[in-house]
Amino acid sequence: MRIVTFGSCLSRSTVAQFIRMYGGELISSVYHNRSDAFMGRFIDKDWTEYPYDEFVSIFRPASIEGVSIEKNPSIILRNQYLPWIGSHGLDEYVSFLEAVKSEPDLIVVDNHVDLGARLLARKGDDKAGIFSMLGGTPKNLNWELRERLAIRESIHSMKRFLSWIHESAPKATIVFINFPYVTYVDAPERVKRTKSFEADFSSDHAVVVPCLDVPMHERSPDPQHFRSPMYARYAGIIMQELVRQGKVKIEKEHQDANGVADLKASQRVISLYRNGCIDELLELADNIGFKNLKPNALYFVGIALMNVQNDARAFDVFKYLLSFPNATQQTLKRAINLAAKLGLEDERLALTDRLRLSSH
């Protein structure tokens, strides 16, 4: 499955989890482009174009050591010019316009940049602008930092953008993700803009995913990034849509809506444990969901949580394992020890009685 993303970390990280869980190949990934700017510069070609070398000579957006590629001024600028568009974070890539026209299987889009980006433009240029994170008002008096895109205009340009994708790749599944607002607790204007966009936006060409809640344990220190399980939720939504469209068949090794264990993931968990890759093992288990693993794989997850990370979730894992009819006394003893360590006295006593009865 060949996949393309446009937007931000939301679409990119969702696809990363999709590939990890279900397979596929990311061939092109676009960051830092507002939908109106993309359409104006590359499709309609009615925006004033600022040559790359000219912009660099004026603002000198150099790469900065230690800054992530999402916030690196040089990379942000390159992401908006034709020679590099689609290259974000990829060693090998297909230019975005070529990638879309090559009929990929899946294209994932989000509206993070539309909601927040302000563009730099030369004064007097009507249709123009480059997204930059140089900070503050331009010191060059011939340039200005313009206001954020009006929501009505954003909806209009995003609809046109999705229509262009559909016309260029009519067989591709297009998924549009509304960027969540619940993490922006200190930005009421952002919340207002997001809600307004979601309320009025629709598309004839894309599956539209609404703004989802982001549980506290799936948030990160900054509002625009989430932890892996959140992106895995989005990946699951996309897979459900592909199944609904008949483009993917769920085989026995994949979990279904009734929670059938993912055999492939279970085998991977066991392999990771045997090779000492505990962090990767736990991340995979989080993404798949503990209860969707086979009991033998879940046992190793419990061991990893107990011995390596000393995680209280280990007790929940072993207690769940005890719900299976073939649960071993070893599993029961581990659950008793964990209950004692965690001070769960009622649980410890109940499990001890169970052990005593099973010994007779």
Side-chain angles (χ1 to χ4, degrees):
M1 179 173 289
R2 299 165 67 251
I3 308 173
V4 172
T5 71
F6 182 100
S8 70
C9 50
L10 176 55
S11 52
R12 175 64 173 269
S13 297
T14 292
V15 165
Q17 291 301 321
F18 182 95
I19 292 172
R20 174 172 291 188
M21 295 163 66
Y22 306 112
E25 177 190 11
L26 180 61
I27 63 170
S28 188
S29 181
V30 176
Y31 275 48
H32 304 122
N33 281 255
R34 248 174 36 182
S35 61
D36 63 324
F38 178 88
M39 293 300 295
R41 296 178 65 211
F42 301 116
I43 308 304
D44 301 331
K45 298 183 180 179
D46 60 354
W47 274 39
T48 299
E49 184 69 22
Y50 303 133
Y52 176 79
D53 291 339
E54 176 189 341
F55 195 92
V56 170
S57 68
I58 295 172
F59 294 102
R60 302 187 183 281
S63 293
I64 302 174
E65 290 292 331
V67 173
S68 70
I69 62 173
E70 292 179 23
K71 297 181 179 180
N72 193 306
S74 179
I75 294 175
I76 290 172
L77 181 61
R78 287 163 64 97
N79 282 344
Q80 298 169 76
Y81 281 86
L82 197 56
W84 303 284
I85 193 165
S87 67
H88 187 83
L90 297 175
D91 295 327
E92 297 182 6
Y93 70 97
V94 179
S95 175
F96 180 72
L97 278 79
E98 294 178 14
V100 171
K101 292 176 181 178
S102 73
E103 290 275 10
D105 301 288
L106 173 64
I107 302 172
V108 183
V109 179
D110 71 77
N111 62 335
H112 176 61
V113 182
D114 267 33
L115 290 170
R118 300 173 65 183
L119 305 186
L120 271 174
R122 188 186 288 116
K123 291 181 179 178
D125 290 342
D126 182 26
K127 294 182 177 181
I130 294 290
F131 177 51
S132 176
M133 292 183 68
L134 299 172
T137 302
K139 294 180 181 179
N140 189 310
L141 297 180
N142 293 322
W143 293 74
E144 61 185 356
L145 184 62
R146 295 184 171 170
E147 294 301 316
R148 292 180 177 85
L149 185 61
I151 293 301
R152 181 179 297 178
E153 294 177 27
S154 176
I155 290 173
H156 174 71
S157 61
M158 186 61 75
K159 283 186 174 183
R160 292 190 63 235
F161 174 66
L162 295 174
S163 294
W164 168 77
I165 291 178
H166 176 69
E167 291 169 5
S168 303
K171 295 181 181 179
T173 294
I174 307 169
V175 176
F176 174 82
I177 306 176
N178 280 284
F179 204 98
Y181 57 83
V182 294
T183 55
Y184 286 85
V185 292
D186 298 321
E189 181 61 26
R190 169 73 181 224
V191 173
K192 180 180 177 182
R193 286 172 56 79
T194 306
K195 288 182 175 181
S196 178
F197 185 101
E198 181 186 25
D200 294 336
F201 182 77
S202 62
S203 174
D204 295 330
H205 306 299
V207 178
V208 178
V209 180
C211 293
L212 299 185
D213 185 27
V214 184
M216 293 301 296
H217 66 277
E218 293 181 3
R219 302 183 186 187
S220 77
D222 46 71
Q224 70 269 30
H225 294 125
F226 316 125
R227 303 196 185 281
S228 295
M230 186 66 199
Y231 297 119
R233 287 172 59 194
Y234 283 112
I237 291 171
I238 292 173
M239 175 53 78
Q240 288 177 353
E241 180 59 28
L242 291 170
V243 171
R244 188 191 70 79
Q245 293 181 6
K247 295 184 177 181
V248 172
K249 287 187 177 181
I250 295 293
E251 299 177 357
K252 289 183 179 179
E253 65 264 27
H254 288 300
Q255 62 187 32
D256 63 15
N258 296 319
V260 176
D262 187 329
L263 298 177
K264 187 175 180 181
S266 296
Q267 292 166 358
R268 178 67 175 156
V269 163
I270 295 171
S271 175
L272 289 170
Y273 183 85
R274 289 172 176 168
N275 288 298
C277 303
I278 302 304
D279 288 341
E280 188 176 349
L281 177 158
L282 293 176
E283 183 177 1
L284 176 60
D286 270 335
N287 291 341
I288 297 298
F290 290 167
K291 293 184 179 181
N292 292 321
L293 292 170
K294 283 289 190 179
N296 58 342
L298 189 55
Y299 181 83
F300 288 112
V301 173
I303 296 294
L305 289 169
M306 182 176 68
N307 293 341
V308 180
Q309 292 198 351
N310 195 27
D311 195 312
R313 290 178 298 168
F315 176 75
D316 295 328
V317 169
F318 284 113
K319 186 176 179 182
Y320 176 69
L321 284 170
L322 292 174
S323 66
F324 290 89
N326 58 346
T328 66
Q329 284 200 352
Q330 185 179 19
T331 300
L332 183 52
K333 289 177 181 178
R334 290 190 184 279
I336 292 170
N337 290 336
L338 282 167
K341 283 184 179 180
L342 296 171
L344 304 173
E345 188 61 16
D346 289 344
E347 296 277 12
R348 187 191 69 80
L349 291 173
L351 293 172
T352 301
D353 287 343
R354 176 172 170 175
L355 176 62
R356 187 180 300 113
L357 291 170
S358 65
S359 300
H360 294 302

